[in-house]
């Protein structure tokens, strides 16, 4: 490899600015951004670099070397989408209730788990008892009723909105977007979400009637 350059910096901040300045110079001299790569040891090192690139107007794309479906939070989002498409999917609903970003009461979730085990019933039956019976004792029953009502609203959105609009609405109203914006790897998380929504938009352009199913 020709034109190798080894530079040492006093601290990580100087290093990041040095990397950004070098990239800016390369682009100014005609190098395509797609021909430039920054290799780092750990994913967390990408965040300050990406934020600096954003401030300096340097185009970039993060590559983690794996499909976005391996992102645990993308998996959880798709599980929520599955529940909206299949409201009788008891196993998926049981999993969704435990997602931290939905901010449901942990103590009440334990009571629901215990109640379900004793009754040996489906989550749909638990929901029915939660709404219509006082046997299931919860500190914040209304919180769960509102969430189940929200699932119904998202189900209606799935019928009345385009799929990209539905997913965007779900991400905002479920606290999913808030969660990834506060994640230590938020740049990568946002990029994975963007890749998912871009794929959905491309498929929706081909099939305008595309829905969660």
């Amino acid at each position: 490899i020709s034109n190798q350059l080894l530079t040492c910096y006093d601290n990580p901040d100087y290093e990041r600015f040095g990397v950004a300045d070098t990239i800016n110079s390369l682009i100014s001299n005609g190098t395509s951004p797609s021909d430039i790569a920054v290799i780092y040891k750990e994913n967390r090192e990408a965040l300050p670099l990406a934020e600096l690139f954003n401030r300096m107007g340097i185009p970039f794309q993060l590559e983690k070397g794996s499909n976005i479906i391996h992102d645990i939070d993308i998996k959880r989002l798709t599980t929520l989408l599955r529940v909206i498409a299949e409201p009788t999917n008891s196993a998926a609903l049981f999993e969704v209730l435990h997602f931290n970003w939905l901010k449901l009461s942990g103590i009440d979730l334990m009571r629901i788990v215990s109640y379900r085990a004793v009754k040996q019933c489906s989550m749909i039956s638990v929901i029915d008892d939660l709404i219509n019976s006082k046997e299931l004792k919860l500190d914040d029953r209304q919180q769960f009723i509102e969430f189940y009502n929200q699932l119904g609203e998202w189900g209606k959105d799935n019928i009345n909105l385009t799929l990209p609009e539905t997913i965007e609405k779900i991400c905002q109203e479920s606290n999913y977007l808030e969660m990834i914006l506060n994640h230590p790897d938020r740049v990568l998380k946002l990029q994975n979400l963007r890749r998912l929504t871009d794929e959905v938009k491309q498929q929706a352009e081909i099939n305008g009637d595309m829905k969660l199913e």
Side-chain angles (χ1 to χ4, degrees):
I1 300 175
S2 60
N3 299 322
Q4 295 186 54
L5 175 66
L6 177 63
T7 306
C8 296
Y9 297 92
D10 292 335
N11 61 56
D13 288 333
Y14 289 166
E15 180 181 33
R16 284 189 285 270
F17 276 102
V19 169
D21 186 59
T22 299
I23 292 173
N24 250 342
S25 296
L26 288 169
I27 294 173
S28 297
N29 289 323
T31 302
S32 171
S34 62
D35 292 331
I36 301 171
V38 178
I39 301 173
Y40 42 84
K41 184 177 180 181
E42 298 182 13
N43 286 330
R44 60 185 173 82
E45 296 175 24
L47 178 58
L49 268 174
E51 291 178 337
L52 178 59
F53 290 172
N54 267 330
R55 291 199 302 271
M56 296 180 65
I58 299 173
F60 69 92
Q61 179 173 334
L62 289 173
E63 296 289 347
K64 195 178 180 182
S66 62
N67 195 293
I68 60 168
I69 203 63
H70 296 143
D71 182 323
I72 185 63
D73 292 312
I74 293 291
K75 283 184 177 181
R76 288 169 178 160
L77 176 60
T78 57
T79 301
L80 175 58
L81 299 179
R82 188 183 315 129
V83 169
I84 294 166
E86 305 173 37
T88 58
N89 189 325
S90 189
L93 176 57
F94 184 74
E95 181 181 353
V96 162
L97 290 176
H98 291 79
F99 295 165
N100 288 337
W101 37 277
L102 293 174
K103 302 180 180 179
L104 298 173
S105 167
I107 293 176
D108 281 344
L109 277 172
M110 291 176 62
R111 290 174 177 146
I112 288 174
V113 171
S114 177
Y115 182 87
R116 185 188 184 209
V118 170
K119 293 289 185 178
Q120 295 186 336
C121 60
S122 70
M123 281 303 304
I124 305 305
S125 297
V126 171
I127 293 171
D128 186 62
D129 288 353
L130 187 150
I131 295 173
N132 300 306
S133 171
K134 299 299 182 183
E135 185 179 356
L136 177 54
K137 305 294 184 182
L138 301 178
D139 291 337
D140 195 350
R141 179 184 302 270
Q142 189 60 33
Q143 181 187 43
F144 286 86
I145 292 175
E146 289 175 359
F147 176 67
Y148 295 136
N149 287 337
Q150 183 67 76
L151 286 176
E153 290 299 316
W154 289 330
K156 288 194 293 184
D157 290 336
N158 185 41
I159 299 299
N160 295 299
L161 302 178
T162 66
L163 186 53
E165 289 172 338
T166 299
I167 293 178
E168 180 180 355
K169 196 166 185 282
I170 292 167
C171 287
Q172 292 175 344
E173 295 178 349
S174 69
N175 302 314
Y176 181 85
L177 186 58
E178 176 187 347
M179 179 272 295
I180 62 174
L181 285 172
N182 289 291
H183 196 281
D185 283 335
R186 61 184 175 275
V187 173
L188 180 61
K189 294 290 183 180
L190 281 169
Q191 177 146 324
N192 283 345
L193 178 59
R194 185 170 66 246
R195 289 171 62 190
L196 174 66
T197 55
D198 285 349
E199 177 64 25
V200 169
K201 288 176 183 176
Q202 289 176 11
Q203 294 299 320
E205 288 176 0
I206 298 171
N207 179 6
D209 295 328
M210 187 178 180
K211 302 294 180 182
L212 296 173
E213 58 183 30

